[in-house]
Amino acid sequence: MTEVREFLTNQLNGSCKSIPPNAVFRHDHQYGLFASKSYEEGDIIFEESPLVILSPSLTTSSLESSEKIKRQFLKSSFASSNKEAKKTKATGKDDEEKVHSTQSSLLRDLIIPSATKSQLAYEAQIHKLRGMLLAAASYAVLDQNRKSEDGNAILTTETKQKIFELYHPHVSNSGGDDGDLDDETKNAIKLAQLAVQTCNELSDPQSNLRALVDRNNNADADHSNSIKHELLRLLLVYSCNAFEGGRIYHKLSRVNHSCNPNSVVSAGGDGSSGNDSSKSQDISVLRAACRIEVGEEITISYLGKYLYAGFPIRQKNLTVNKHFNCQCDRCINATEAEDDKKPR
């Protein structure tokens, strides 16, 4: 069992207060997930299915669906679009191979304009920008009155509300940054703004993605859309909360990072937690990696293999990819140790 608490300062290791179960979350406030019972190593804390999956390779199950995402962009936006078609025809690939081929080429072959690339300092930022563009296109396809197999809308009003309640930096009515923000937060907003601009450049004029861009850019004049700057905010949510494959969760996305985490996330589940989400084909399981006491914050690592790297590499990875400086005990101790070595 867990409960969400709100941090009273911007420091995630500071004081916090409990949040009522039906509370409205402020997207620009800091929250964390805390244990309301003790857990032993290996215990399942909870299982959860994603609210939405903003990735072409996971949101689609057919060549036709993958093509819907590609059609959100101009044909010239993909380097191997024509080459892949010719190769597929020549080799006689079956549908499954065609789907894999199309999906794998989307992220790899999406052409980023040179002028846009010149504004990014790291290759990792270019890669992330590509992911944001495809996340925007995936969202546009899902939002185009697309139905699931049972006929229900995928992006319901309730689902959208939960998505946009997740943490993301506040943006002003003009779409710019607002207030006294730190450099990492400003960089997150700038990258999202650049992604919106690039969506405008690369999207097909008749696509739902272009309509989403237009609604975003005309947010101050268009009062028919209840979500102001919808695309910009979506990209910030994606940038700050998405797991592997563009998965965004209602609960799991609230779990904060630590370089010395007490929990791990794994794919799949056997339903032993008693959670209804365990019946889903696409679920993630949060397990205790060590004993967790009642009232202790539950944390995971956002670093993947870089969890085992030194302090400078961990910090660079987190500032570039997740837009924050880690202040967990491991990083604070590393900083203090480095300060002690500096000449006086």
Side-chain angles (χ1 to χ4, degrees):
M1 298 175 64
T2 61
E3 67 172 0
V4 177
R5 296 181 186 176
E6 179 182 357
F7 290 95
L8 301 180
T9 68
N10 289 330
Q11 304 298 324
L12 294 183
N13 53 0
S15 58
C16 55
K17 65 177 182 180
S18 297
I19 300 297
N22 297 323
V24 176
F25 291 97
R26 291 282 303 275
H27 68 81
D28 53 349
H29 286 205
Q30 298 282 2
Y31 299 92
L33 206 63
F34 290 76
S36 52
K37 60 166 282 187
S38 61
Y39 293 95
E40 299 295 335
E41 179 181 349
D43 284 352
I44 293 178
I45 300 174
F46 63 80
E47 301 175 351
E48 187 177 21
S49 298
L51 286 170
V52 67
I53 305 175
L54 300 178
S55 169
S57 61
L58 293 173
T59 58
T60 58
S61 59
S62 68
L63 182 61
E64 179 183 359
S65 298
S66 292
E67 287 298 325
K68 285 182 180 179
I69 292 175
K70 286 193 72 172
R71 287 198 295 269
Q72 300 301 310
F73 299 95
L74 297 168
K75 290 183 178 179
S76 58
S77 300
F78 293 92
S80 65
S81 182
N82 294 328
K83 291 180 182 178
E84 193 62 47
K86 292 178 181 178
K87 183 178 179 182
T88 300
K89 185 176 181 179
T91 56
K93 294 180 180 178
D94 59 27
D95 285 345
E96 183 176 349
E97 290 174 310
K98 290 177 185 177
V99 172
H100 180 271
S101 204
T102 300
Q103 292 169 348
S104 63
S105 69
L106 288 177
L107 183 61
R108 184 183 67 243
D109 292 336
L110 185 60
I111 301 172
I112 305 298
S114 299
T116 301
K117 280 187 178 181
S118 66
Q119 300 180 54
L120 302 173
Y122 303 105
E123 185 64 33
Q125 291 176 309
I126 298 174
H127 181 79
K128 182 163 187 175
L129 179 64
R130 283 195 176 97
M132 293 170 79
L133 299 180
L134 293 176
S138 299
Y139 181 87
V141 169
L142 292 174
D143 199 33
Q144 197 173 21
N145 300 318
R146 199 176 108 165
K147 306 290 184 179
S148 59
E149 290 183 1
D150 59 8
N152 295 320
I154 295 175
L155 283 179
T156 63
T157 301
E158 181 183 3
T159 298
K160 283 190 175 185
Q161 179 181 342
K162 289 179 179 179
I163 290 172
F164 289 104
E165 281 183 349
L166 293 171
Y167 171 76
H168 57 285
H170 176 75
V171 291
S172 68
N173 289 337
S174 61
D177 57 73
D178 191 34
D180 186 18
L181 303 177
D182 58 44
D183 289 342
E184 287 69 36
T185 302
K186 289 178 181 178
N187 288 337
I189 294 173
K190 287 178 181 177
L191 184 61
Q193 290 172 332
L194 185 61
V196 172
Q197 177 185 326
T198 309
C199 281
N200 187 55
E201 293 178 36
L202 300 184
S203 59
D204 186 282
Q206 304 303 316
S207 68
N208 203 50
L209 178 57
R210 177 64 66 85
L212 186 59
V213 171
D214 291 342
R215 290 205 308 271
N216 182 87
N217 294 341
N218 298 321
D220 295 331
D222 182 8
H223 301 289
S224 62
N225 187 16
S226 60
I227 305 174
K228 294 291 186 182
H229 304 291
E230 182 176 2
L231 180 55
L232 179 62
R233 292 182 59 193
L234 171 78
L235 294 173
L236 286 168
V237 169
Y238 171 85
S239 188
C240 297
N241 299 277
F243 281 70
E244 182 180 358
R247 293 175 175 91
I248 294 176
Y249 299 86
H250 182 224
K251 196 172 179 181
L252 190 55
S253 289
R254 293 198 182 279
V255 180
N256 290 316
H257 165 83
S258 172
C259 294
N260 190 22
N262 57 21
S263 306
V264 294
V265 179
S266 59
D270 56 12
S272 59
S273 68
N275 194 320
D276 288 341
S277 66
S278 62
K279 300 174 184 178
S280 171
Q281 292 182 346
D282 188 354
I283 64 172
S284 288
V285 182
L286 182 67
R287 290 181 183 271
C290 59
R291 179 170 174 79
I292 301 175
E293 302 291 349
V294 176
E296 185 177 350
E297 184 180 7
I298 296 169
T299 58
I300 58 176
S301 168
Y302 298 171
L303 287 167
K305 63 182 180 181
Y306 292 106
L307 176 62
Y308 306 101
F311 171 75
I313 293 176
R314 296 200 313 273
Q315 286 291 345
K316 181 178 179 180
N317 185 288
L318 290 170
T319 54
V320 170
N321 292 307
K322 290 297 182 180
H323 312 293
F324 69 90
N325 283 311
C326 184
Q327 299 182 34
C328 70
D329 290 342
R330 182 182 172 195
C331 288
I332 291 174
N333 291 335
T335 303
E336 292 174 350
E338 289 178 1
D339 287 342
D340 289 340
K341 295 177 183 178
K342 293 179 181 179
R344 302 291 181 182

